[in-house]
Amino acid sequence: MIVFDLKCAENHIFEAWFRNSEAYEDQASAGQIVCPHCGDSHISKSVMAPNISAKGNRQSADRFDEEMVSMDNIRVSASSGVPENPEISAEDVKRAAEHMHEVMAKYRKFVQENCEDVGDSFADEARKIHNGEAEERGIYGQTTLEETQELLEEGIDIFPVPGSDKLDS
């Protein structure tokens, strides 16, 4: 999964998650993405406010799955400078970063309140649910990078849930 900050013709900024960049392009060109604020379907990518970088050894940026699941070493910073785009102000960047923090906190709270914490058994339990060997339900827990890659290769849909303290810069 990949997240994009999107902007409608009315300059409403919102985020949306897609399976990959191609899925975004397909949906955008078909007019299937709609602004949740005003219903406009003239959508473009907005500049992503946060600069996400891993401490220490950083893998190639095109390795989505490694970047997304290594959340315990990631820090988000909106102070990396304003992109060279006259249509985007420093205030736009700040608002987008604040919005991201709020959305991720709400997302984590929702998961904690509505899903079962299976701890380190996440990979095994996700497989059992996927294979029909366990009751279908929402779960969350921890996996290793290797387990995460295996789940994704097996076609098991999973999504990282960053910790609330992980977004502080």
Side-chain angles (χ1 to χ4, degrees):
M1 300 294 285
I2 189 167
V3 64
F4 290 121
D5 280 347
L6 304 177
K7 183 165 71 170
C8 72
E10 298 295 319
N11 289 321
H12 296 127
I13 295 175
F14 60 99
E15 74 178 23
W17 295 87
F18 300 90
R19 185 166 200 77
N20 53 37
S21 292
E22 186 178 303
Y24 162 77
E25 295 297 337
D26 291 345
Q27 291 179 33
S29 64
Q32 296 175 332
I33 305 170
V34 178
C35 174
H37 304 286
C38 66
D40 183 18
S41 63
H42 296 89
I43 305 298
S44 62
K45 286 184 190 174
S46 181
V47 172
M48 298 293 288
N51 175 23
I52 301 179
S53 60
K55 284 181 166 177
N57 259 349
R58 179 166 181 181
Q59 300 295 324
S60 171
D62 62 351
R63 291 296 309 196
F64 156 74
D65 46 353
E66 291 179 12
E67 294 297 319
M68 289 299 288
V69 297
S70 301
M71 292 302 224
D72 23 4
N73 292 327
I74 292 177
R75 294 294 179 259
V76 177
S77 172
S79 60
S80 60
V82 177
E84 293 182 24
N85 184 333
E87 296 177 15
I88 299 169
S89 69
E91 187 59 32
D92 289 337
V93 173
K94 182 180 176 187
R95 266 196 332 269
E98 289 170 355
H99 176 70
M100 182 201 64
H101 284 272
E102 291 171 19
V103 169
M104 294 312 293
K106 287 178 186 176
Y107 173 65
R108 178 150 188 93
K109 182 178 179 188
F110 176 85
V111 168
Q112 290 175 325
E113 291 176 353
N114 294 281
C115 299
E116 178 184 343
D117 183 358
V118 295
D120 293 335
S121 302
F122 180 84
D124 292 334
E125 197 62 26
R127 248 185 220 98
K128 288 177 187 174
I129 293 170
H130 180 75
N131 295 329
E133 299 168 5
E135 171 191 355
E136 190 168 320
R137 66 200 188 281
I139 61 171
Y140 69 101
Q142 294 79 41
T143 64
T144 64
L145 178 57
E146 183 179 300
E147 290 172 324
T148 299
Q149 289 173 322
E150 289 170 359
L151 290 170
L152 292 171
E153 288 169 5
E154 293 170 31
I156 300 172
D157 289 331
I158 60 172
F159 193 78
V161 179
S164 56
D165 60 328
K166 305 295 189 235
L167 294 175
D168 295 337
S169 54

